[in-house]
Amino acid sequence: MGQQHVAGHVTVALVEDHQVVVDGVRSWFGPPSPVMLVAQGPTIESVRGTPADVLLLDLNLNGTMIVDRVGELCAGGQRVVVFSEHEEPETVRAVLDAGASAFIGKGRATRESCVETILAVAADRPSVTPPMAQAIATDESPHRPQLSEKERLALLYWFQSMSKASVAARMGVKERTVRQYIDRARVKYAAAGRPAPTKEKLLICAIQDGLISPGEVDVYTSLAARPGES
């Protein structure tokens, strides 16, 4: 699924099998909202090929959980925002680890919060919703965020003085996807109470947590040795 750009709007394709939810979301994205619904259907296949900036995805379609499809969609370069009533921390962590840009809980969603999250994701900015914050905070090691292997690799290559474009080429993904991996790592550290807004700070945290060893990178490693950093 590519991206469709409409002047002044962020475009969304919705995968949802309950018409009442479709009607509600459509009302949220009507004028004067900066978000426009350009496609909707009850299955992933029903909207496949429709260009949209963001895919808003329900996890339970026709009685089947599709958590395992999230990684496939994200690997294809799609910005995925999960929109689900299944807000269990383990489910939220699973879709975030698979590459979802954000998770919106149906039970707590409002027009304002949904639009805000979609605008942030479309602009490749990190967004932490309440279910995401809870999932990260209740992780077994909240002080040490659990990064996916792709997030870790993106950080490693970036720390090796590679540009994000070069990282993308090495990983075989789009540059925007690399930015998402890095931003998700920052979101996880911020939610764990260890904000890492700069490249240097992120490297320090990654080395302290054993996600990356000093020998794997040839720049900034002296910063990681400074005592008292967290």
Side-chain angles (χ1 to χ4, degrees):
M1 185 182 297
Q3 274 70 55
Q4 175 178 339
H5 302 286
V6 178
H9 288 84
V10 166
T11 55
V12 172
L14 171 66
V15 179
E16 169 62 60
D17 61 344
H18 288 92
Q19 189 60 43
V20 64
V21 177
V22 173
D23 292 343
V25 170
R26 183 179 289 114
S27 72
W28 286 357
F29 298 159
S33 172
V35 177
M36 177 184 295
L37 185 65
V38 294
Q40 65 85 19
T43 66
I44 292 172
E45 286 68 30
S46 65
V47 301
R48 192 181 297 278
T50 302
D53 297 312
V54 174
L55 178 67
L56 191 60
L57 178 70
D58 185 18
L59 285 183
N60 189 341
L61 298 175
N62 304 300
T64 300
M65 291 292 286
I66 59 163
V67 175
D68 58 344
R69 300 289 303 274
V70 174
E72 161 201 336
L73 293 166
C74 296
Q78 179 65 56
R79 298 180 183 96
V80 175
V81 173
V82 171
F83 184 52
S84 175
E85 62 186 4
H86 295 277
E87 300 181 39
E88 305 84 7
E90 58 271 20
T91 300
V92 178
R93 287 194 292 268
V95 298
L96 293 178
D97 286 344
S101 298
F103 186 109
I104 298 174
K106 285 184 176 179
R108 292 182 271 187
T110 64
R111 178 202 298 263
E112 291 74 17
S113 64
C114 190
V115 168
E116 180 180 350
T117 298
I118 288 173
L119 291 177
V121 168
D124 296 318
R125 300 194 310 269
S127 175
V128 182
T129 63
M132 294 168 65
Q134 181 180 7
I136 296 170
T138 58
D139 205 343
E140 293 181 359
S141 302
H143 65 286
R144 177 181 174 179
Q146 301 298 307
L147 303 189
S148 70
E149 181 59 18
K150 289 183 178 179
E151 289 165 356
R152 193 195 75 83
L153 279 177
L155 290 180
L156 173 60
Y157 297 154
W158 188 45
F159 293 148
Q160 290 176 337
S161 294
M162 297 180 68
S163 67
K164 293 185 178 75
S166 297
V167 174
R170 184 167 180 179
M171 295 183 69
V173 298
K174 297 180 179 179
E175 184 176 350
R176 172 171 53 76
T177 303
V178 171
R179 292 197 299 270
Q180 289 177 338
Y181 290 149
I182 294 171
D183 284 343
R184 282 204 300 270
R186 284 200 170 107
V187 165
K188 290 179 180 181
Y189 270 108
R194 298 168 64 195
T198 66
K199 186 175 184 178
E200 292 85 353
K201 185 67 173 180
L202 197 54
L203 174 62
I204 291 167
C205 290
I207 289 179
Q208 287 178 334
D209 290 346
L211 297 171
I212 291 171
S213 68
E216 290 181 294
V217 295
D218 54 11
V219 292
Y220 301 131
T221 50
S222 63
L223 292 173
R226 292 180 181 175
E229 296 278 10
S230 60

